[in-house]
Amino acid sequence: MLTVQNITYIHPDKELLFDNISFSIATHQKAALIGNNGSGKSTMLKLISNLLIPHSGKITVEGKVYYVPQVIGQYNEQTVAEALLIADKLKAFYDILDGKATEENMTLLDDDWTIEDRVCTALEFWDLQHIDLLQPMANLSGGQKNKVFLAGIQIHEPDLILLDEPSNHLDNTARKKLYDFIKETKATLLIVSHDRQLLNTLDQMLELSNKGIKTYGGNYEFYVEQKNIEQETLLQNINNREKELRKAREKERETTERQQRLDARGKKKSEKAGIPRIKMNTLRNNAENSTSKLKGAHAEKISGIQQDLTDLRNKRPEQDKMKLGFSESTLHQGKVLVELQQVNVKYSANHLWSSPITYQLRSGERILIKGDNGSGKTTLAKIILGELVPHTGAVTNNLRKTSYIDQDYSLINNTLTVYEQAQEYNTDALQEHDIKIRLNRFLFDNDTWNKPCSTLSGGERMRLALCCLTIDQEAPELIVLDEPTNNLDIQNIIILTSAINDYTGTLIVISHDESFLNDIGLTNEIHVERNVKNA
């Protein structure tokens, strides 16, 4: 079905992304392309879709290809029908029904007399039946835009489906439909995703990295098991090489000391025997050469072990190299931070929520705000933070210090460099070297300190945001995470999870990522339901 042979891709700025990549996917197979941010996963999908041209290599696809992109803002100026690539065909179809059976219209329709039925069925399946095909994509929410492109699968009936982060922006209801579709479809799938629940519906993992591509048979859980075995082996190899290094250094020391003792005894014997000076010099030179050769042999062996050890350590996952550490929360557990009494807000002429919300948020809680797309989850979070005032009800807010982290990590100032951004949170007058030590802990080395924040990836923005919170003298009493995993790869989700589990304050989360939610120890949830009058 799909064969990728010796593909090399070079960015327009001449930077090599990947080199000599080869893999294949059989007909009806359902595979994931996984890897860290920046490894080239989205680029690979665009190459297979023929949206980009490789520097070298060959891609062979049997059948029709359909591609669902991750970034969809570039379609805002198009109508829904144009984004779905059906505008001309639908117009021809309606023109023919209206009696305009011109040769041009018949060619555009290409005997596809079921196009209207497929469009209606697909839109209804994704709860988009009220969407006007002629309206601009810009009028739709992120979740609706994503569902438009997913609806295109049923409309175009492709043989090979390429999905780039397809569960982004989808609520739980839409995610379940996506998972069910993936399980039931007979089409061949290649999916880029950080959604571990989705990845567990697939039967092959293709791991793309700067070392090439590696295939793991099985779903994501099986892949994790295999990676754990590899990491245990790697750790054992590191330990073994560390032992070898210690033994080699001890052997070098013992050998050098023994040789020095032998040389000293030989010199004394020579002096007692009255050996001529010239002969003495020759013997001394021979001893020095012998010692030098021994040192050289040991140094070469030690250098080889050190290089092997460095190579092995560099293979460790990034999260194993990173040091986390939030300052302890000063609040005692259970103190009421925010109290909501019969809170609601107006949307047009009606209330947003079907029922007003009453809740006491206590320190130390980990709360999920749950609801479908458009139900007002972010609105409720901002009321709790004191950024919005409800139209009805009362709010008592005892919060002193909070932090709101959205999916774009907007607390990062794009006009600053990495170091300048960290300095913005330096409330404890830390010295420059202390700030840079903290940055190093979050994997920002000296090559990145002057890097503009505007160029950071989603994972880098997340790590810098966490670094800023740990630099601040006082940790926030409350952290709100609003869809924080949407733009992260799996490695950075693990890093975020570790950081959040290291935080002792109060947490509010808005997320549809079930795996992430299961890993962060939630204690309660608030369910918001949209008023049907606003649906």
Side-chain angles (χ1 to χ4, degrees):
M1 165 55 72
L2 170 64
T3 305
V4 174
Q5 295 175 294
N6 308 119
I7 288 295
T8 296
Y9 184 76
I10 300 174
H11 282 303
D13 63 3
K14 308 302 182 184
E15 180 185 358
L16 176 68
L17 181 59
F18 43 68
D19 184 35
N20 205 33
I21 297 292
S22 297
F23 65 91
S24 62
I25 299 175
T27 302
H28 305 311
Q29 193 160 32
K30 300 172 183 180
L33 185 62
I34 59 178
N36 295 340
N37 284 351
S39 59
K41 304 184 297 296
S42 295
T43 298
M44 181 61 75
L45 293 191
K46 290 176 183 177
L47 288 166
I48 297 169
S49 304
N50 208 28
L51 296 174
L52 292 174
I53 306 299
H55 180 74
S56 62
K58 182 180 180 182
I59 297 175
T60 305
V61 179
E62 298 174 12
K64 186 192 298 184
V65 180
Y66 183 77
Y67 167 62
V68 176
Q70 175 186 3
V71 180
I72 49 184
Q74 68 269 35
Y75 298 93
N76 281 346
E77 301 304 315
Q78 298 184 14
T79 65
V80 173
E82 288 170 341
L84 284 169
L85 302 177
I86 57 172
D88 292 340
K89 180 175 284 193
L90 275 179
K91 183 177 183 303
F93 175 77
Y94 292 127
D95 281 351
I96 292 168
L97 293 182
D98 199 33
K100 301 173 185 175
T102 64
E103 182 178 348
E104 180 183 4
N105 283 335
M106 296 300 289
T107 300
L108 286 170
L109 184 61
D110 193 25
D111 282 337
D112 189 2
W113 298 101
T114 63
I115 179 66
E116 184 183 41
D117 290 338
R118 294 201 310 280
V119 169
C120 292
T121 300
L123 293 180
E124 185 176 358
F125 178 84
W126 290 104
D127 297 321
L128 298 172
Q129 56 267 42
H130 303 299
I131 295 293
D132 182 352
L133 290 171
L134 298 181
Q135 72 174 301
M137 288 284 285
N139 292 352
L140 306 183
S141 69
Q144 288 174 322
K145 290 175 185 176
N146 208 17
K147 288 193 280 187
V148 163
F149 284 101
L150 291 171
I153 297 171
Q154 291 148 288
I155 295 170
H156 291 281
E157 299 178 325
D159 303 291
L160 172 63
I161 303 170
L162 307 175
L163 305 176
D164 196 350
E165 298 290 359
S167 60
N168 271 9
H169 310 293
L170 298 185
D171 57 31
N172 290 332
T173 302
R175 284 190 180 215
K176 187 178 185 307
K177 286 188 177 184
L178 175 63
Y179 302 153
D180 289 342
F181 169 78
I182 290 171
K183 292 173 187 174
E184 295 166 6
T185 184
K186 300 300 182 185
T188 305
L189 298 176
L190 180 59
I191 303 178
V192 170
S193 179
H194 67 266
D195 183 340
R196 287 164 284 180
Q197 193 171 350
L198 182 155
L199 293 174
N200 277 327
T201 67
L202 308 177
D203 53 31
Q204 187 180 50
M205 301 289 119
L206 302 171
E207 184 184 57
L208 184 62
S209 70
N210 56 9
K211 299 178 181 65
I213 197 160
K214 188 173 182 179
T215 301
Y216 295 82
N219 64 8
Y220 181 73
E221 285 185 0
F222 178 79
Y223 161 79
V224 170
E225 290 174 4
Q226 295 303 304
K227 293 296 286 186
N228 286 339
I229 292 171
E230 290 178 8
Q231 293 306 316
E232 287 172 7
T233 302
L234 174 61
L235 182 60
Q236 186 60 50
N237 288 338
I238 289 174
N239 290 336
N240 290 340
R241 295 308 267 175
E242 286 174 342
K243 289 177 183 177
E244 286 183 43
L245 184 59
R246 288 194 295 271
K247 287 181 180 179
R249 285 173 171 163
E250 181 64 22
K251 184 69 174 177
E252 178 189 37
R253 184 184 62 78
E254 291 175 355
T255 303
T256 300
E257 289 176 353
R258 185 170 61 251
Q259 186 63 43
Q260 288 172 345
R261 288 195 298 270
L262 288 173
D263 291 345
R265 283 201 296 268
K267 182 179 179 182
K268 287 180 179 178
K269 286 181 180 180
S270 298
E271 289 174 347
K272 287 181 180 180
I275 295 175
R277 183 180 296 276
I278 293 176
K279 181 68 173 176
M280 285 278 288
N281 289 338
T282 301
L283 291 172
R284 186 181 69 251
N285 290 337
N286 289 341
E288 288 174 353
N289 288 336
S290 177
T291 301
S292 178
K293 286 180 181 178
L294 282 172
K295 286 183 177 179
H298 283 292
E300 185 176 348
K301 182 177 181 179
I302 289 172
S303 177
I305 296 173
Q306 286 176 325
Q307 184 58 53
D308 288 346
L309 193 53
T310 298
D311 293 342
L312 288 170
R313 285 170 174 164
N314 286 338
K315 292 178 182 178
R316 290 178 300 169
E318 292 297 309
Q319 64 265 23
D320 289 350
K321 304 174 190 176
M322 198 171 85
K323 304 297 182 184
L324 303 171
F326 286 105
S327 58
E328 292 290 323
S329 173
T330 57
L331 284 177
H332 66 270
Q333 298 290 299
K335 178 182 177 181
V336 176
L337 299 177
V338 179
E339 184 170 6
L340 308 177
Q341 293 180 318
Q342 297 292 300
V343 165
N344 213 327
V345 293
K346 286 287 185 67
Y347 182 84
S348 298
N350 302 308
H351 283 110
L352 174 58
W353 298 308
S354 58
S355 300
I357 295 169
T358 296
Y359 192 84
Q360 281 189 341
L361 178 67
R362 297 178 180 273
S363 63
E365 283 193 294
R366 294 186 165 226
I367 306 298
L368 170 66
I369 299 181
K370 189 175 183 180
D372 291 339
N373 287 348
S375 59
K377 299 185 294 295
T378 298
T379 298
L380 178 58
K382 291 188 174 182
I383 289 173
I384 292 172
L385 288 168
E387 296 179 10
L388 290 177
V389 177
H391 290 92
T392 60
V395 179
T396 304
N397 194 315
N398 299 310
L399 289 166
R400 292 184 301 106
K401 191 176 182 64
T402 64
S403 182
Y404 175 74
I405 301 177
D406 61 10
Q407 61 183 299
D408 296 317
Y409 297 88
S410 302
L411 62 83
I412 302 297
N413 186 338
N414 287 331
T415 66
L416 303 177
T417 65
V418 168
Y419 175 77
E420 288 169 344
Q421 174 65 45
Q423 187 65 35
E424 288 286 299
Y425 282 75
N426 184 14
T427 59
D428 201 24
L430 294 175
Q431 297 297 310
E432 180 177 338
H433 71 276
D434 290 320
I435 296 293
K436 290 178 177 178
I437 287 172
R438 301 287 182 97
L439 287 169
N440 266 307
R441 287 178 186 168
F442 283 81
L443 311 179
F444 291 102
D445 58 23
N446 58 350
D447 292 332
T448 63
W449 294 336
N450 292 320
K451 186 177 182 179
C453 290
S454 59
T455 65
L456 298 180
S457 68
E460 288 171 327
R461 293 174 73 84
M462 179 273 294
R463 286 190 276 109
L464 184 54
L466 294 178
C467 181
C468 288
L469 295 185
T470 63
I471 287 172
D472 201 334
Q473 182 181 15
E474 183 183 359
E477 299 168 291
L478 170 66
I479 294 179
V480 176
L481 299 175
D482 194 345
E483 297 289 2
T485 65
N486 267 5
N487 297 316
L488 301 184
D489 58 26
I490 293 171
Q491 173 187 264
N492 280 301
I493 291 174
I494 293 171
I495 290 173
L496 175 62
T497 302
S498 297
I500 291 306
N501 286 335
D502 198 39
Y503 170 64
T504 60
T506 309
L507 186 69
I508 290 178
V509 184
I510 299 169
S511 177
H512 300 291
D513 187 335
E514 292 292 335
S515 298
F516 172 70
L517 295 175
N518 290 335
D519 289 342
I520 59 174
L522 295 172
T523 60
N524 209 344
E525 66 180 46
I526 303 173
H527 189 272
V528 292
E529 187 173 344
R530 189 179 178 87
N531 189 346
V532 292
K533 294 180 180 179
N534 291 318

